[in-house]
Amino acid sequence: MLKLLRLSSSLLARHSLSTTSNLSSSLRRATKYRNRPCCSAFVGRFHTHKVLAMAETTPSSSSSHKHSNRLSDEHSPYLLQHAHNPVNWYSWGEEAFAEARRRDVPIFLSIGYSTCHWCHVMKVESFEDEEVAELLNDSFVSVKVDREERPDVDKVYMTFVQALYGGGGWPLSVFISPDLKPLMGGTYFPPDDKYGRPGFKTILRKVTDAWFSQRDTLVKSGAFAIEQLSEALSASASSKKLPDELSQNALHLCAEQLSQSYDSQYGGFGSAPKFPRPVEIQLMLYHAKKLDDAGNYSESKKGLQMVFFTLQCMARGGIHDHIGGGFHRYSVDECWHVPHFEKMLYDQGQLVNVYLDAFSITNDVFYSSLSRDILDYLRRDMIGPEGEIFSAEDADSAEREGANKKKEGAFYIWTSQEIDDILGEHATLFKDHYYVKPLGNCDLSRMSDPHDEFKGKNVLIELTDTSALAKKYGLPLEKYLDILGECRQKLFDARSRGPRPHLDDKVIVSWNGLAISSLARASKILMGEAEGTKYNFPVVGCDPKEYMTAAEKAASFIRRHLYNEQARRLEHSFRNGPSKAPGFLDDYAFLISGLLDLYEVGGGIHWLVWATELQNKQDELFLDREGGGYFNTPGEDPSVLLRVKEDHDGAEPSGNSVSAINLIRLASMMTGSKSEYYRQNAEHLLAVFESRLKDMAMAVPLMCCAADMISLPSHKQVVLVGHKSSLEFDKMLAAAHASYDPNRTVIHIDPTDNEEMEIWEDNNSNIALMARNNFAADKVVALVCQNFTCSPPVTDPKSLKALLLKKSS
């Protein structure tokens, strides 16, 4: 009977073994466990409390480079962080695998990313330790993987760890055989035995012993694990489309489940740690619109109130960087106060879009300002010289120049005295506004700072109504806001003079796709702000057209540097050149989505053409034509043991959910066989995940939206006809995007552009005909079409807005 050694402290201490039946049942739960939120500190932050304080004060490595290893030749910032460890690291590849086979030893696989706090801790504690290095070098081939460069490799072994142990996170620490089968694994391990937990040195010795004494058992169980996971994660559809009732019921079920988990005191869905999971907001907004269209106004209003309160609480909380803009990764407490301080591009792009949606519904500048806040942070700190958008900023930084250690949040937190010194006469007002206290303010929840890491420090948070505070200080609201903006500018300048967190300047196609979408949409939606709207730092208050320019530059960078025109294939990432990894499903799906948005808000027809070319290549590389849905990898790399059909909409949406919506959007733009092809692929894809939509809708909120979208008889089309270089055309485009409607498609066409007309003749001759019949040289004409019927043409933005707000009969 097969047995598997598990890496828990009790099992390691006794060398206890779990039976094959336990393994099998655990692996069958893989699709459940892989939907749990993971983060850089998830395991360590909440389950190794006392290790944290010690790890935060551990000195960083010397800059004298006593050691160097193969990672010195890599481009990944994460791998380069380990290039001078005494560990004899290899990167993922045949050189490492061949060495493991030659020496007949297991591989120690360490997966993380450059802005991961607990990856830094394990690096300092273990990988810079000579004793640990000796254990690794003598008995293992050690391999480092940047999960952001190789999400395909990470997916295989993270899924294994989550399935077997019920949780995961980074750093991911897995022991695998020379033929790459997983043997056992975990996440962060402290170097020495503490608090009844095995230390990393103990684990290395135990694994070495097990490799020599129980190798056959371990290798067989690893092969069995991969076999079971492969079966569990490559589902096929039993039919070509979802049952009609499920297409609509999944949306309601997900909204109901989210509503039940709503935190009415602090906003958000679920309890601490709280992640800003934008797909939940998207689902609730979509559902509220659906209810409103059906005349169920009271229920629609309830859903919207949950969303708006959540967005407000997040914006006022410490998870929002009030000084520099943008949002941190997640909040460790229930009140959005003390965050894990890293900033990820994928969060910024998605959050911009939900704040834009909130503005479209409310016309409240609070939400449009938050969209600008995030986008201006990206333009200030995260965009490279050619328009490329970088991946992330670290949580950790040195407290002062020359300090030999880094601390989490050091760049973002303040003492009361620092604020006094920098702000002078306005310090009291500012401290009152942001709940700054002499002894520190991380006291709102027992989860905020359980180990006094931030004692005497303040994480800025807004707890009191701004109007009430302005009244308290006897100031007009506008003047009060001006003072706050000036104070933020001074604090921004002060902190900019100190050590910054590490910037991961890797360019990832999928995350750039999310940012391109938000930049493009902002360029038109923000034209709806009232004339004369005033902004305060860190919001710049630029012309929304500048966001369109940034979106097009980012897309152009990808086309130049990460797209092979001849093969029509994407590469996954770029840093000093393209990475070795090919484009994955998320890269294609998220970029296609961004390009469709770029086109719809007024970008050139070439963006739409490229989107369709990428969709064709995505289908060629990833589509399961027999079973339906998309695999996450092309399946061309034999070292990647699993091809997964990912469905979980977590911190990032799943490639399948985004693809379903892309296909529905493309189907609504095209006619004939092309439209039918896209629609059938979307229907087949959704059918693959029928059980998920029925049984665990809350795990797939964006897919629930897609399931409802495809159940609609037709989408609303807005067709704009006219010369595109005019200001009137821009205003009509802004009007077309002014109201919230996720089931609307905007098409724009200039009948005097022969190339554009030819493209539409080939893909949707109805559009070309409408353009010819409605062209007027001196005005822009808009038609709104649905259910094979078009409205009478309108030629001014106000009429178009009114037409789009009119409910369908």
Side-chain angles (χ1 to χ4, degrees):
M1 184 162 55
L2 300 179
K3 297 178 180 179
L4 179 70
L5 183 63
R6 291 190 177 187
L7 281 183
S8 70
S9 58
S10 59
L11 293 178
L12 276 167
R14 301 194 306 268
H15 259 218
S16 296
L17 302 170
S18 62
T19 63
T20 309
S21 60
N22 287 339
L23 170 63
S24 181
S25 64
S26 295
L27 289 170
R28 283 194 295 269
R29 294 196 303 271
T31 54
K32 174 181 177 183
Y33 287 129
R34 69 196 172 99
N35 289 320
R36 296 189 176 187
C38 294
C39 57
S40 61
F42 192 82
V43 174
R45 182 106 184 196
F46 302 107
H47 298 292
T48 58
H49 302 302
K50 294 183 180 179
V51 175
L52 178 59
M54 174 273 294
E56 294 268 359
T57 58
T58 306
S60 60
S61 59
S62 167
S63 60
S64 59
H65 302 333
K66 178 181 175 183
H67 302 281
S68 288
N69 55 55
R70 292 169 182 79
L71 301 186
S72 302
D73 298 326
E74 297 294 324
H75 295 314
S76 157
Y78 177 63
L79 299 190
L80 289 171
Q81 286 172 355
H82 295 265
H84 301 293
N85 296 164
V87 178
N88 185 22
W89 291 111
Y90 289 76
S91 60
W92 182 265
E94 182 54 35
E95 182 186 10
F97 312 151
E99 180 67 6
R101 291 193 297 268
R102 185 187 71 78
R103 289 175 52 196
D104 194 25
V105 296
I107 293 168
F108 169 64
L109 175 62
S110 177
I111 302 178
Y113 55 104
S114 77
T115 60
C116 160
H117 169 70
W118 280 91
C119 301
H120 302 330
V121 173
M122 197 164 177
K123 167 182 173 281
V124 170
E125 291 180 335
S126 291
F127 303 141
E128 293 178 356
D129 182 85
E130 299 283 353
E131 183 182 355
V132 170
E134 186 176 356
L135 288 168
L136 283 169
N137 295 340
D138 286 351
S139 301
F140 302 89
V141 169
S142 298
V143 174
K144 263 287 171 196
V145 167
D146 182 339
R147 69 168 293 262
E148 294 170 357
E149 263 197 349
R150 295 302 304 258
D152 53 339
V153 176
D154 177 62
K155 174 60 69 176
V156 173
Y157 300 104
M158 179 62 78
T159 303
F160 168 78
V161 168
Q162 287 178 316
L164 235 51
Y165 309 119
W170 298 279
L172 184 65
S173 305
V174 188
F175 297 92
I176 63 178
S177 63
D179 63 352
L180 312 182
K181 304 296 192 302
L183 308 175
M184 53 192 76
T187 53
Y188 163 80
F189 295 107
D192 300 300
D193 301 353
K194 286 179 186 282
Y195 318 117
R197 292 169 57 89
F200 191 48
K201 296 171 190 172
T202 296
I203 289 167
L204 293 176
R205 294 185 181 103
K206 297 279 189 183
V207 172
T208 301
D209 291 345
W211 178 252
F212 289 109
S213 63
Q214 303 180 56
R215 181 183 312 193
D216 288 346
T217 298
L218 291 173
V219 170
K220 287 177 183 177
S221 65
F224 178 70
I226 288 296
E227 180 185 322
Q228 292 287 298
L229 284 170
S230 181
E231 184 179 326
L233 301 177
S234 56
S236 294
S238 56
S239 65
K240 294 289 185 180
K241 61 182 293 188
L242 289 172
D244 290 341
E245 66 278 5
L246 181 58
S247 289
Q248 297 165 36
N249 290 348
L251 180 75
H252 298 299
L253 176 61
C254 187
E256 185 179 307
Q257 291 173 345
L258 285 172
S259 298
Q260 290 169 357
S261 71
Y262 174 65
D263 181 345
S264 59
Q265 184 175 3
Y266 297 110
F269 301 94
S271 56
K274 280 187 174 174
F275 291 75
R277 189 182 172 209
V279 288
E280 295 174 337
I281 302 293
Q282 288 178 270
L283 181 286
M284 295 299 287
L285 290 175
Y286 185 102
H287 185 245
K289 175 77 164 68
K290 184 100 174 166
L291 291 171
D292 186 80
D293 288 345
N296 193 344
Y297 304 121
S298 62
E299 288 302 308
S300 173
K301 187 177 179 180
K302 284 181 187 175
L304 288 177
Q305 285 172 338
M306 292 182 201
V307 167
F308 298 152
F309 185 60
T310 296
L311 292 176
Q312 291 163 18
C313 289
M314 286 167 48
R316 292 180 173 132
I319 192 171
H320 174 213
D321 179 5
H322 296 272
I323 302 301
F327 279 76
H328 300 296
R329 183 66 198 90
Y330 66 89
S331 170
V332 303
D333 53 44
E334 69 277 18
C335 42
W336 301 104
H337 183 202
V338 178
H340 179 53
F341 288 91
E342 65 186 318
K343 289 180 173 180
M344 308 301 295
L345 178 58
Y346 58 76
D347 285 324
Q348 315 307 323
Q350 293 178 88
L351 285 169
V352 169
N353 272 332
V354 294
Y355 278 105
L356 287 172
D357 289 341
F359 172 69
S360 296
I361 295 165
T362 63
N363 277 328
D364 187 339
V365 73
F366 174 86
Y367 300 109
S368 63
S369 291
L370 262 296
S371 299
R372 286 178 175 273
D373 169 290
I374 301 167
L375 291 175
D376 291 346
Y377 154 67
L378 291 181
R379 294 204 309 154
R380 184 187 297 118
D381 291 338
M382 298 289 284
I383 295 185
E386 294 186 64
E388 70 274 29
I389 310 178
F390 301 138
S391 300
E393 286 195 296
D394 206 340
D396 300 6
S397 61
E399 292 187 281
R400 65 192 65 85
E401 290 293 349
N404 66 349
K405 64 181 179 181
K406 293 184 177 183
K407 288 200 69 174
E408 180 168 10
F411 188 69
Y412 302 102
I413 57 181
W414 304 89
T415 65
S416 178
Q417 186 62 52
E418 285 172 333
I419 290 173
D420 287 337
D421 294 342
I422 296 165
L423 299 185
E425 63 173 319
H426 295 311
T428 300
L429 179 151
F430 185 89
K431 291 194 291 185
D432 208 2
H433 186 89
Y434 286 108
Y435 187 61
V436 174
K437 303 198 298 184
L439 298 180
N441 72 353
C442 299
D443 55 5
L444 294 177
S445 165
R446 62 181 178 80
M447 302 183 73
S448 296
D449 188 25
H451 311 297
D452 293 330
E453 303 160 55
F454 302 125
K455 188 174 182 179
K457 306 284 188 177
N458 293 271
V459 177
L460 303 184
I461 184 171
E462 297 175 289
L463 296 179
T464 307
D465 177 69
T466 302
S467 297
L469 285 169
K471 188 175 181 180
K472 172 183 172 180
Y473 284 91
L475 293 168
L477 181 59
E478 186 174 326
K479 176 62 175 175
Y480 181 84
L481 293 173
D482 287 345
I483 291 171
L484 283 179
E486 291 165 8
C487 291
R488 290 192 294 263
Q489 175 80 67
K490 288 179 180 178
L491 291 173
F492 177 86
D493 292 342
R495 82 177 191 185
S496 296
R497 291 190 287 270
R500 289 192 64 89
H502 158 72
L503 170 69
D504 189 327
D505 57 357
K506 183 166 64 268
V507 180
I508 297 174
V509 171
S510 57
W511 299 359
N512 270 248
L514 295 172
I516 288 166
S517 168
S518 64
L519 285 160
R521 294 183 71 236
S523 73
K524 290 300 176 288
I525 293 172
L526 293 178
M527 288 177 68
E529 290 176 317
E531 193 173 338
T533 298
K534 191 168 183 182
Y535 310 96
N536 294 105
F537 191 85
V539 175
V540 174
C542 67
D543 185 327
K545 289 180 182 177
E546 294 184 28
Y547 297 131
M548 184 67 167
T549 301
E552 292 192 307
K553 281 186 175 180
S556 297
F557 179 90
I558 292 171
R559 180 129 201 180
R560 278 196 311 276
H561 295 288
L562 286 161
Y563 182 64
N564 183 318
E565 295 279 357
Q566 188 172 0
R568 296 192 173 185
R569 292 185 65 156
L570 290 169
E571 304 294 335
H572 171 62
S573 64
F574 181 98
R575 187 175 187 273
N576 300 327
S579 68
K580 301 168 189 173
F584 302 111
L585 173 63
D586 288 1
D587 296 310
Y588 284 83
F590 294 9
L591 180 57
I592 290 166
S593 178
L595 293 174
L596 292 177
D597 286 330
L598 194 52
Y599 166 73
E600 285 200 42
V601 300
I605 190 74
H606 61 282
W607 298 125
L608 177 59
V609 171
W610 192 26
T612 60
E613 289 174 357
L614 288 170
Q615 187 62 60
N616 292 339
K617 182 58 66 171
Q618 177 183 315
D619 293 350
E620 178 187 322
L621 295 173
F622 305 99
L623 181 64
D624 182 351
R625 296 188 184 275
E626 295 299 317
Y630 293 96
F631 292 105
N632 65 328
T633 70
E636 298 164 339
D637 185 344
S639 73
V640 180
L641 304 184
L642 291 176
R643 290 186 86 196
V644 175
K645 292 182 184 177
E646 183 63 68
D647 61 359
H648 179 231
D649 298 318
E652 301 170 60
S654 77
N656 273 297
S657 294
V658 174
S659 293
I661 293 174
N662 290 344
L663 291 167
I664 294 166
R665 293 174 72 180
L666 287 167
S668 73
M669 289 182 170
M670 311 300 175
T671 54
S673 59
K674 290 181 181 178
S675 177
E676 192 60 25
Y677 170 79
Y678 291 134
R679 184 175 181 85
Q680 287 176 355
N681 280 349
E683 288 175 336
H684 200 187
L685 181 161
L686 291 166
V688 172
F689 305 106
E690 178 179 346
S691 62
R692 178 70 100 200
L693 290 162
K694 189 190 309 178
D695 300 331
M696 291 187 70
M698 200 164 76
V700 289
L702 196 63
M703 192 172 287
C704 290
C705 295
D708 184 81
M709 286 178 181
I710 207 161
S711 72
L712 302 177
S714 71
H715 279 225
K716 187 180 291 183
Q717 275 188 346
V718 182
V719 182
L720 301 179
V721 181
H723 293 304
K724 297 186 181 182
S725 57
S726 66
L727 178 61
E728 289 73 20
F729 200 90
D730 250 11
K731 289 179 178 177
M732 289 292 272
L733 274 169
H737 290 278
S739 56
Y740 172 76
D741 188 350
N743 285 302
R744 173 190 57 219
T745 299
V746 178
I747 293 170
H748 46 87
I749 182 167
D750 181 349
T752 65
D753 186 323
N754 293 331
E755 181 186 2
E756 194 172 9
M757 287 293 285
E758 186 177 330
I759 289 167
W760 284 113
E761 287 283 7
D762 289 345
N763 291 283
N764 187 340
S765 59
N766 295 332
I767 299 296
L769 181 63
M770 289 168 66
R772 277 194 294 269
N773 291 344
N774 291 278
F775 178 65
D778 59 342
K779 61 184 68 173
V780 180
V781 177
L783 302 102
V784 179
C785 307
Q786 193 167 19
N787 299 324
F788 308 105
T789 304
C790 292
S791 68
V794 296
T795 56
D796 67 282
K798 188 175 180 181
S799 299
L800 178 56
K801 286 181 186 179
L803 194 57
L804 291 171
L805 287 172
K806 186 178 178 182
K807 285 188 168 54
S808 303
S809 57

PDB file of all heavy atoms in Angstrom, residues 25-37:
ATOM      1  N   SER A  25      -8.327  10.887  -1.281  1.00  0.00           N
ATOM      2  CA  SER A  25      -9.424  11.782  -0.912  1.00  0.00           C
ATOM      3  C   SER A  25      -8.950  13.229  -0.846  1.00  0.00           C
ATOM      4  O   SER A  25      -9.674  14.150  -1.217  1.00  0.00           O
ATOM      5  CB  SER A  25     -10.035  11.368   0.427  1.00  0.00           C
ATOM      6  OG  SER A  25      -9.092  11.509   1.467  1.00  0.00           O
ATOM      7  N   SER A  26      -7.706  13.423  -0.385  1.00  0.00           N
ATOM      8  CA  SER A  26      -7.169  14.794  -0.339  1.00  0.00           C
ATOM      9  C   SER A  26      -7.060  15.372  -1.743  1.00  0.00           C
ATOM     10  O   SER A  26      -7.387  16.533  -1.978  1.00  0.00           O
ATOM     11  CB  SER A  26      -5.787  14.812   0.319  1.00  0.00           C
ATOM     12  OG  SER A  26      -5.878  14.439   1.664  1.00  0.00           O
ATOM     13  N   LEU A  27      -6.585  14.567  -2.672  1.00  0.00           N
ATOM     14  CA  LEU A  27      -6.413  15.057  -4.029  1.00  0.00           C
ATOM     15  C   LEU A  27      -7.751  15.348  -4.690  1.00  0.00           C
ATOM     16  O   LEU A  27      -7.874  16.250  -5.497  1.00  0.00           O
ATOM     17  CB  LEU A  27      -5.623  14.038  -4.851  1.00  0.00           C
ATOM     18  CG  LEU A  27      -4.153  13.926  -4.470  1.00  0.00           C
ATOM     19  CD1 LEU A  27      -3.522  12.748  -5.156  1.00  0.00           C
ATOM     20  CD2 LEU A  27      -3.415  15.201  -4.807  1.00  0.00           C
ATOM     21  N   ARG A  28      -8.783  14.581  -4.327  1.00  0.00           N
ATOM     22  CA  ARG A  28     -10.097  14.863  -4.884  1.00  0.00           C
ATOM     23  C   ARG A  28     -10.635  16.190  -4.388  1.00  0.00           C
ATOM     24  O   ARG A  28     -11.538  16.762  -4.976  1.00  0.00           O
ATOM     25  CB  ARG A  28     -11.066  13.717  -4.559  1.00  0.00           C
ATOM     26  CG  ARG A  28     -10.873  12.490  -5.437  1.00  0.00           C
ATOM     27  CD  ARG A  28     -12.041  11.544  -5.317  1.00  0.00           C
ATOM     28  NE  ARG A  28     -12.170  10.978  -3.994  1.00  0.00           N
ATOM     29  CZ  ARG A  28     -11.603   9.831  -3.610  1.00  0.00           C
ATOM     30  NH1 ARG A  28     -10.852   9.170  -4.459  1.00  0.00           N
ATOM     31  NH2 ARG A  28     -11.758   9.373  -2.386  1.00  0.00           N
ATOM     32  N   ARG A  29     -10.066  16.679  -3.276  1.00  0.00           N
ATOM     33  CA  ARG A  29     -10.481  17.987  -2.763  1.00  0.00           C
ATOM     34  C   ARG A  29      -9.667  19.117  -3.377  1.00  0.00           C
ATOM     35  O   ARG A  29      -9.820  20.270  -2.997  1.00  0.00           O
ATOM     36  CB  ARG A  29     -10.322  18.033  -1.242  1.00  0.00           C
ATOM     37  CG  ARG A  29     -11.249  17.084  -0.509  1.00  0.00           C
ATOM     38  CD  ARG A  29     -11.313  17.481   0.959  1.00  0.00           C
ATOM     39  NE  ARG A  29     -10.025  17.499   1.606  1.00  0.00           N
ATOM     40  CZ  ARG A  29      -9.452  16.452   2.210  1.00  0.00           C
ATOM     41  NH1 ARG A  29     -10.063  15.285   2.222  1.00  0.00           N
ATOM     42  NH2 ARG A  29      -8.274  16.567   2.795  1.00  0.00           N
ATOM     43  N   ALA A  30      -8.831  18.806  -4.349  1.00  0.00           N
ATOM     44  CA  ALA A  30      -7.928  19.828  -4.899  1.00  0.00           C
ATOM     45  C   ALA A  30      -8.677  21.030  -5.410  1.00  0.00           C
ATOM     46  O   ALA A  30      -8.286  22.168  -5.196  1.00  0.00           O
ATOM     47  CB  ALA A  30      -7.089  19.233  -6.027  1.00  0.00           C
ATOM     48  N   THR A  31      -9.788  20.800  -6.112  1.00  0.00           N
ATOM     49  CA  THR A  31     -10.494  21.937  -6.684  1.00  0.00           C
ATOM     50  C   THR A  31     -11.125  22.795  -5.611  1.00  0.00           C
ATOM     51  O   THR A  31     -11.420  23.954  -5.835  1.00  0.00           O
ATOM     52  CB  THR A  31     -11.593  21.455  -7.646  1.00  0.00           C
ATOM     53  OG1 THR A  31     -12.440  20.536  -6.958  1.00  0.00           O
ATOM     54  CG2 THR A  31     -10.976  20.792  -8.853  1.00  0.00           C
ATOM     55  N   LYS A  32     -11.323  22.252  -4.418  1.00  0.00           N
ATOM     56  CA  LYS A  32     -11.806  23.083  -3.318  1.00  0.00           C
ATOM     57  C   LYS A  32     -10.670  23.910  -2.741  1.00  0.00           C
ATOM     58  O   LYS A  32     -10.769  25.125  -2.582  1.00  0.00           O
ATOM     59  CB  LYS A  32     -12.421  22.202  -2.237  1.00  0.00           C
ATOM     60  CG  LYS A  32     -12.834  22.980  -0.984  1.00  0.00           C
ATOM     61  CD  LYS A  32     -13.419  22.036   0.039  1.00  0.00           C
ATOM     62  CE  LYS A  32     -13.770  22.778   1.328  1.00  0.00           C
ATOM     63  NZ  LYS A  32     -14.270  21.894   2.369  1.00  0.00           N
ATOM     64  N   TYR A  33      -9.563  23.263  -2.430  1.00  0.00           N
ATOM     65  CA  TYR A  33      -8.486  23.952  -1.731  1.00  0.00           C
ATOM     66  C   TYR A  33      -7.778  24.963  -2.606  1.00  0.00           C
ATOM     67  O   TYR A  33      -7.269  25.945  -2.108  1.00  0.00           O
ATOM     68  CB  TYR A  33      -7.483  22.944  -1.175  1.00  0.00           C
ATOM     69  CG  TYR A  33      -8.016  22.190   0.004  1.00  0.00           C
ATOM     70  CD1 TYR A  33      -7.959  20.804   0.050  1.00  0.00           C
ATOM     71  CD2 TYR A  33      -8.589  22.874   1.062  1.00  0.00           C
ATOM     72  CE1 TYR A  33      -8.454  20.114   1.142  1.00  0.00           C
ATOM     73  CE2 TYR A  33      -9.081  22.177   2.157  1.00  0.00           C
ATOM     74  CZ  TYR A  33      -9.008  20.803   2.192  1.00  0.00           C
ATOM     75  OH  TYR A  33      -9.507  20.128   3.261  1.00  0.00           O
ATOM     76  N   ARG A  34      -7.749  24.750  -3.918  1.00  0.00           N
ATOM     77  CA  ARG A  34      -7.018  25.692  -4.743  1.00  0.00           C
ATOM     78  C   ARG A  34      -7.742  27.023  -4.834  1.00  0.00           C
ATOM     79  O   ARG A  34      -7.199  27.987  -5.349  1.00  0.00           O
ATOM     80  CB  ARG A  34      -6.753  25.112  -6.134  1.00  0.00           C
ATOM     81  CG  ARG A  34      -7.963  24.952  -7.013  1.00  0.00           C
ATOM     82  CD  ARG A  34      -7.620  24.028  -8.161  1.00  0.00           C
ATOM     83  NE  ARG A  34      -8.790  23.689  -8.935  1.00  0.00           N
ATOM     84  CZ  ARG A  34      -9.109  24.275 -10.072  1.00  0.00           C
ATOM     85  NH1 ARG A  34      -8.364  25.232 -10.533  1.00  0.00           N
ATOM     86  NH2 ARG A  34     -10.172  23.911 -10.745  1.00  0.00           N
ATOM     87  N   ASN A  35      -8.947  27.095  -4.291  1.00  0.00           N
ATOM     88  CA  ASN A  35      -9.662  28.358  -4.329  1.00  0.00           C
ATOM     89  C   ASN A  35      -9.466  29.185  -3.077  1.00  0.00           C
ATOM     90  O   ASN A  35     -10.058  30.236  -2.929  1.00  0.00           O
ATOM     91  CB  ASN A  35     -11.155  28.097  -4.532  1.00  0.00           C
ATOM     92  CG  ASN A  35     -11.418  27.600  -5.929  1.00  0.00           C
ATOM     93  OD1 ASN A  35     -10.822  28.091  -6.857  1.00  0.00           O
ATOM     94  ND2 ASN A  35     -12.268  26.612  -6.076  1.00  0.00           N
ATOM     95  N   ARG A  36      -8.684  28.705  -2.125  1.00  0.00           N
ATOM     96  CA  ARG A  36      -8.407  29.512  -0.948  1.00  0.00           C
ATOM     97  C   ARG A  36      -7.433  30.626  -1.309  1.00  0.00           C
ATOM     98  O   ARG A  36      -6.522  30.426  -2.090  1.00  0.00           O
ATOM     99  CB  ARG A  36      -7.816  28.658   0.167  1.00  0.00           C
ATOM    100  CG  ARG A  36      -8.805  27.601   0.653  1.00  0.00           C
ATOM    101  CD  ARG A  36      -8.293  26.909   1.881  1.00  0.00           C
ATOM    102  NE  ARG A  36      -9.281  25.975   2.382  1.00  0.00           N
ATOM    103  CZ  ARG A  36      -9.162  25.330   3.523  1.00  0.00           C
ATOM    104  NH1 ARG A  36      -8.107  25.522   4.267  1.00  0.00           N
ATOM    105  NH2 ARG A  36     -10.096  24.497   3.919  1.00  0.00           N
ATOM    106  N   PRO A  37      -7.623  31.814  -0.734  1.00  0.00           N
ATOM    107  CA  PRO A  37      -6.697  32.905  -1.059  1.00  0.00           C
ATOM    108  C   PRO A  37      -5.310  32.616  -0.545  1.00  0.00           C
ATOM    109  O   PRO A  37      -5.133  32.159   0.576  1.00  0.00           O
ATOM    110  CB  PRO A  37      -7.313  34.116  -0.345  1.00  0.00           C
ATOM    111  CG  PRO A  37      -8.147  33.535   0.738  1.00  0.00           C
ATOM    112  CD  PRO A  37      -8.639  32.215   0.232  1.00  0.00           C
TER     113      PRO A  37
END
